[in-house]
Amino acid sequence: MGEAKNKARETVEEEPLSPCSRLFNSPDFNCAIIVTMGSRVKGDTPAIIHGLEHTLVNHPRFSSILEMNNGKKGKPRWVRTKVRVEEHVIVPHIDPDIENPDQYLEDYISKLTTIPMDLSKPLWEMHLLGLKTSNAESFAILKIHHSLGDGMSLMSLLLACTRKTSDPEALPTVAVQKKRFGPNCNSGFFNKIWWLFVGLWFIIRLLFNTFVDILMFALTIFFLRDTETPLLAKPGSELKPKRFIHRIISFDDVKLVKNAMKMTVNDVLLGVTQAGLSRYLSRRYDQESTPKSKESMRRIRLRSAIMINLRPNTGIEVHKYLVLESLKHSKFKRIVWFRYCSMIQYRL
C-alpha cells in the first residue's frame, strides 16, 4: 500500500525533462532569459510578492526544482516543491544619489548574467530596483532559466498573469491575425487546379530550401567556416563577463515599418539587429582603411542560428486556465513547452 502511494506521488509531482530542456541545461549551452521591465511608478515589493504568490508561482514549472541525477531511473526530472517567494524576490540596496543610474542598470544586468542559478530552488528570480533612470521610476529584472519554456510560452504566461487597467478582472486582449493561403478554393474548378499547382510549387521550394540548408549546415561543420571578424567569439570567451547595452526604440516606428514592408514585428527587430551588426563591422573595417580589410568586408561570411517556434500561437487562455486550476488543485499539471524548433541561417 505504501509503495502504491509513493508511485502515485511520483506520477503527480515528477515529470521528465523534454529534449530542449536538457539542451538548455547542458554545460555547453546553459542559458537564462533576462527580462527588464520599467515602471512609471515606484515598485511596491509586498504587492509584487502577493501577486507572484497568486499567479506565477502556481504554474508547475515555476514551482518545481530540477533534479539532474536523482530523478526516476536516474534521469533529470522536474520535482514539485513548496515555493517561498521571498527567496526569489531580491531587492538590492541602491544609493539614491548615484551619479549615472542608466550605467548602473546596465552594469547590474551584465553582472547578473555571470551569476549561476541556484539548482536547489525553482530556476527563476526577480530583482526589484528602486532606481530612477531617464526612462522609468523603477525596474523589475526577471531572470528565468530557458529550460522553463520558450519565448512564446513565457510571454503568454506573463500576459495571463496581468489584467486590464480598465477592468482588473479581465485578461488583456491580443489581436490574432488569421492568414489565408490565397483566395477561396471553392470558387471554381480552374481555381482549384491553379491553387493545386501553387501548393505543389510551394512544397517543391520547401524541399529544395531544406536540402540547401542541410547541405550548408554539413559543409559548415567540415570546412566552410565563418570569416574571422570582431564578432566571432574566441575559444574560452563564453567564460568571460559580457556587457549588455540597451536602447529604447519607439514601437510605433516598428509598426510603421512592419505595415509598410508587410512583415511581422520579429522581422523588423531582426532586420534592425542585422543592420546594426553590419554597420558596426563596416565602421571597424573602415577604420583600418587597407585594401585587404575592404576586400574582406565585401567577401565576409557571417551566420547565426536562431530557434524558431513552428507551432501555432495558443493565446493566453490556456495559461489562464493553468493558473486558475493551480489555485484550486495542488496536483501537478503536465505541460509540453517545446515541440519543434528550426535553425535558420542569416547572412549579413
Side-chain angles (χ1 to χ4, degrees):
M1 187 70 177
E3 293 181 359
K5 287 184 178 180
N6 291 334
K7 289 183 179 179
R9 186 175 180 274
E10 288 181 357
T11 303
V12 171
E13 296 190 354
E14 291 191 3
E15 181 182 359
L17 267 69
S18 65
C20 284
S21 294
R22 294 191 183 189
L23 173 65
F24 283 122
N25 277 287
S26 62
D28 296 332
F29 201 60
N30 189 15
C31 61
I33 301 173
I34 305 293
V35 181
T36 305
M37 296 177 289
S39 174
R40 294 181 179 178
V41 297
K42 290 290 184 181
D44 188 351
T45 302
I48 293 176
I49 293 177
H50 179 75
L52 292 174
E53 289 176 344
H54 291 82
T55 53
L56 198 64
V57 174
N58 295 286
H59 194 281
R61 283 292 180 273
F62 288 81
S63 58
S64 300
I65 60 176
L66 177 64
E67 290 191 357
M68 296 300 295
N69 300 316
N70 300 326
K72 188 176 180 181
K73 297 181 181 180
K75 296 181 179 180
R77 302 179 70 84
W78 295 109
V79 180
R80 194 71 179 267
T81 185
K82 183 176 178 61
V83 182
R84 290 180 55 86
V85 181
E86 294 81 3
E87 298 178 354
H88 294 264
V89 178
I90 302 171
V91 184
H93 174 71
I94 302 176
D95 184 6
D97 299 327
I98 190 171
E99 294 183 0
N100 192 343
D102 295 272
Q103 183 71 35
Y104 179 88
L105 179 63
E106 293 180 355
D107 294 340
Y108 189 92
I109 297 175
S110 300
K111 183 179 179 180
L112 188 62
T113 59
T114 63
I115 303 175
M117 304 200 73
D118 187 2
L119 296 179
S120 63
K121 59 184 181 180
L123 302 179
W124 66 275
E125 57 188 30
M126 178 177 286
H127 299 251
L128 302 179
L129 277 66
L131 182 68
K132 182 178 180 180
T133 65
S134 57
N135 299 303
E137 294 290 330
S138 61
F139 284 89
I141 303 175
L142 191 62
K143 183 178 181 180
I144 308 172
H145 199 279
H146 216 322
S147 60
L148 297 184
D150 60 357
M152 179 178 290
S153 300
L154 294 175
M155 286 189 293
S156 299
L157 179 60
L158 179 62
L159 288 174
C161 295
T162 61
R163 297 296 182 267
K164 291 182 177 180
T165 55
S166 58
D167 186 1
E169 300 297 328
L171 284 168
T173 55
V174 179
V176 179
Q177 182 179 4
K178 296 182 179 180
K179 296 182 179 181
R180 290 195 316 169
F181 183 71
N184 188 4
C185 296
N186 298 323
S187 57
F189 175 76
F190 292 103
N191 200 24
K192 292 180 180 179
I193 297 296
W194 167 252
W195 285 109
L196 176 62
F197 281 110
V198 171
L200 291 176
W201 174 245
F202 176 79
I203 294 175
I204 293 173
R205 288 186 57 189
L206 178 63
L207 294 176
F208 175 77
N209 292 332
T210 303
F211 171 77
V212 172
D213 288 340
I214 295 175
L215 178 62
M216 293 297 296
F217 187 75
L219 295 177
T220 301
I221 293 177
F222 290 107
F223 63 89
L224 195 62
R225 305 298 182 184
D226 285 358
T227 308
E228 292 284 344
T229 65
L231 297 177
L232 188 63
K234 304 296 182 182
S237 61
E238 64 274 5
L239 303 177
K240 297 180 180 180
K242 308 296 188 299
R243 178 165 183 79
F244 290 80
I245 299 176
H246 71 277
R247 292 293 182 268
I248 296 178
I249 60 176
S250 173
F251 190 62
D252 292 333
D253 295 339
V254 174
K255 291 192 294 184
L256 179 64
V257 177
K258 175 186 76 74
N259 296 331
M261 302 296 294
K262 296 181 180 179
M263 54 179 59
T264 65
V265 172
N266 286 341
D267 295 333
V268 177
L269 298 180
L270 183 62
V272 171
T273 305
Q274 177 181 350
L277 294 176
S278 180
R279 294 184 63 180
Y280 169 76
L281 290 176
S282 299
R283 185 171 66 251
R284 289 291 299 269
Y285 281 103
D286 288 342
Q287 289 177 357
E288 299 178 8
S289 54
T290 61
K292 184 178 180 180
S293 63
K294 294 181 180 179
E295 181 65 21
S296 299
M297 185 61 191
R298 285 194 294 265
R299 304 178 62 177
I300 192 172
R301 183 188 298 112
L302 179 63
R303 291 162 293 183
S304 62
I306 302 176
M307 291 187 176
I308 304 296
N309 182 14
L310 299 180
R311 72 182 186 272
N313 187 3
T314 56
I316 63 178
E317 294 296 331
V318 175
H319 297 283
K320 173 190 175 185
Y321 169 78
L322 289 170
V323 171
L324 294 179
E325 285 298 312
S326 298
L327 289 172
K328 297 177 183 178
H329 307 285
S330 61
K331 293 184 178 180
F332 193 87
K333 302 296 180 181
R334 186 180 181 90
I335 281 188
V336 179
W337 283 94
F338 298 96
R339 292 185 184 175
Y340 304 100
C341 290
S342 173
M343 278 192 171
I344 298 180
Q345 294 181 339
Y346 289 90
R347 183 186 298 270
L348 286 179

